[in-house]
Amino acid sequence: MWFTGQFVFLLLVALVAAKTKTSAVQDDIAEYKDFKKLLRTKNNVLTLYVASAKAAAAELKVFREAAEAIRGTGTMLLLDCGQQDRKKLCKKLKVSPEPYAIKHYKDGDFHKDYDRQLSVGSMVTFMRDPSGDLPWEEDPAGEDVLHFSDAATFTKHLRKDIRPMLVMFHVPWCGFCKKMKPDYGKAATELKAKGGYLLAAMNVERQENAPIRKMFNITGFPTMIYFENGKLRFTYEGENNKDALVSFMLNPNAKPTPKPKEPEWSADTNSEIVHLTTQGFEPALKDEKAALVMFYAPWCGHCKRMKPEYEKAALEMKQKKIPGLLAALDATKEPSIAEKYKVKGYPTVKFFSNGVFKFEVNVREASKIVEFMRDPKEPPPPPPPEKSWEEEEDSKEVLFLDDDTFSSTLKRKKHALVMFYAPWCGHCKHTKPEFTAAATALQDDPRVAFVAIDCTKLAALCAKYNVRGYPTILYFSYLKTKQDYNGGRTSKDFIAYMNNPPNSADRTEL
């Protein structure tokens, strides 16, 4: 009896919990005044109108799943126009679902009809950015482009598919990417008909794709990389039109037609950046309480890397209604303004308030720029610059070679361990002192060399040896033998390896 009573009690608790569990879909709106109140209090509302729950059962299932996925991001409202108390509201809103209609409301008003695929993923993407463009993978014009959703899918494909493939790495806010998409899609369709060729794409703005962005050192957009037999061959440098893309894929070793002159930044009509001139400089800034001005040169590599981040920040400020202005000035065209504000390098970012220069700002990432513009304050003085590895006192036994000295030096060394690195790489920073200690321990053997190559300065040399991540460590013997080093990264590991390297059958211990 006790067991039965306890079972009944637990069952009742479960039933009450199930009944009181709130649904992610709101379905309790029947009056027009309540509907308007919802729009006043919620700024991102997607409404599914149905003729009846039965008639739109499949659509309702997708809608409910999407609602669960975006809890806290937006509001999903169901209006069953077949119910007697909802008919008047549907009529007032001039909606006649047959059997369903989906409409989006933003900031208190009707925004647009939902025009994406009827899938959970599409609805979630839409609700996270309802004003954004149609995702490329959903655009019918790009149906023959292979879209990689994440790094795992991409690397798995490279292992299994050896067909020639060009991958366009892009981000949603890139104006030049948007302009190129139609031609890229047409080229993909033409190549698909010929058979044996692939045009693919990956949105590297997504957090899950950050490793790919870092692996291939992607700093500008679009970046297009050609793969063959699952391996990187080179970066595409041809023109961004259908015919050039098709010609390249059919004969990738042919010398590409030089690209036309890179369009000026100010010519990008999709840009949210205000481009200044000498005449317009003061008028544009005098009424702005908070304005950042990026002084740049078109040829400057650091400027090119900052441009997409600056664009992204401007777009985010617009969407989130953050006050302030992001502006840019080509210092090579407007030298008098650059000289007036003592611009000595590029990019230089300066903060102005009502046209008056206040201070310089060292922000180059979108998130940092937006964070600064929310609450502009003069930053503390920067710490002294970090010494480069080559400048460190205990690194004397490591050889820092370049394009001119790499081959000539390694041809004379029977055993050389080469570390390809990037100064910003965390794993490299951890490995550096261990690599240095091993070089110091074996400094007395003239046959041995520990070599360091900075891939941010010697990109061509790193590409020659197919360096895709940092650090990459390779073993060489007289430059003829090359082998990947896959051992540990302590000084003891490096010393043990060099005491018994791959070709040491005739070698005594160092």
Side-chain angles (χ1 to χ4, degrees), residues 237-415:
E237 299 290 351
E239 293 187 64
N240 295 342
N241 60 57
K242 179 184 77 71
D243 292 338
L245 290 164
V246 172
S247 297
F248 168 80
M249 291 300 289
L250 296 178
N251 187 10
N253 295 312
K255 188 175 181 180
T257 304
K259 280 187 178 181
K261 186 179 178 181
E262 186 175 330
E264 294 184 6
W265 188 8
S266 57
D268 184 359
T269 56
N270 292 299
S271 175
E272 298 293 338
I273 303 299
V274 175
H275 290 272
L276 303 174
T277 61
T278 299
Q279 292 75 21
F281 192 87
E282 291 183 3
L285 300 184
K286 68 177 183 179
D287 296 324
E288 292 290 342
K289 187 177 179 182
L292 275 187
V293 180
M294 173 182 167
F295 295 84
Y296 72 97
W299 44 260
C300 160
H302 293 297
C303 303
K304 290 179 180 179
R305 284 191 283 275
M306 181 177 169
K307 275 167 58 178
E309 295 292 318
Y310 206 51
E311 291 280 8
K312 181 183 176 184
L315 184 60
E316 186 174 340
M317 286 175 60
K318 179 182 178 182
Q319 291 173 343
K320 295 182 177 179
K321 298 181 179 178
I322 299 171
L325 174 74
L326 296 191
L329 181 134
D330 183 344
T332 64
K333 282 189 172 182
E334 314 291 344
S336 61
I337 294 291
E339 185 176 344
K340 178 179 178 180
Y341 291 103
K342 299 178 181 178
V343 174
K344 300 184 182 299
Y346 309 115
T348 293
V349 183
K350 293 179 179 284
F351 177 72
F352 291 77
S353 181
N354 297 115
V356 178
F357 167 65
K358 296 297 183 179
F359 47 81
E360 281 194 20
V361 184
N362 185 24
V363 286
R364 297 190 182 183
E365 297 175 3
S367 60
K368 298 293 185 183
I369 295 168
V370 173
E371 181 183 344
F372 171 81
M373 291 300 284
R374 285 184 188 276
D375 184 21
K377 291 180 180 176
E378 184 170 4
E386 185 179 334
K387 283 186 177 181
S388 69
W389 189 4
E390 190 170 0
E391 294 172 330
E392 293 175 6
E393 292 182 5
D394 61 352
S395 63
K396 296 176 183 177
E397 306 309 325
V398 177
L399 300 181
F400 295 90
L401 305 180
D402 56 26
D403 292 316
D404 297 326
T405 58
F406 186 84
S407 296
S408 58
T409 301
L410 263 64
K411 282 179 181 178
R412 301 195 304 269
K413 295 296 179 180
K414 186 171 183 180
H415 306 288

Side-chain angles (χ1 to χ4, degrees), residues 12-24 71:
L12 287 172
V13 170
L15 288 171
V16 169
K19 189 173 182 178
T20 57
K21 182 183 177 182
T22 58
S23 170
R71 274 182 184 267

Side-chain angles (χ1 to χ4, degrees), residues 389-390 400 419-423 428 432 452-456 470-471:
W389 189 4
E390 190 170 0
F400 295 90
M419 177 173 158
F420 297 88
Y421 74 99
C428 303
K432 276 165 51 179
I453 300 296
D454 183 348
C455 289
T456 63
Y470 308 119

Side-chain angles (χ1 to χ4, degrees), residues 42-58:
K42 305 292 184 181
N43 61 5
N44 183 17
V45 181
L46 190 65
T47 304
L48 171 64
Y49 298 88
V50 298
S52 72
K54 184 177 180 181

Side-chain angles (χ1 to χ4, degrees), residues 54 126 181 212 219 222 234 264 409 462 468 494:
K54 184 177 180 181
F126 174 82
K181 284 177 182 178
I212 295 295
T219 55
F234 39 72
E264 294 184 6
T409 301
C462 295
R468 297 187 183 183
F494 293 134

Side-chain angles (χ1 to χ4, degrees), residues 205-226:
E205 165 67 359
R206 294 172 181 164
Q207 186 61 37
E208 59 269 27
N209 294 338
I212 295 295
R213 193 166 171 173
K214 183 177 287 188
M215 178 183 291
F216 298 115
N217 196 26
I218 298 169
T219 55
F221 307 101
T223 290
M224 289 178 285
I225 300 178
Y226 176 70

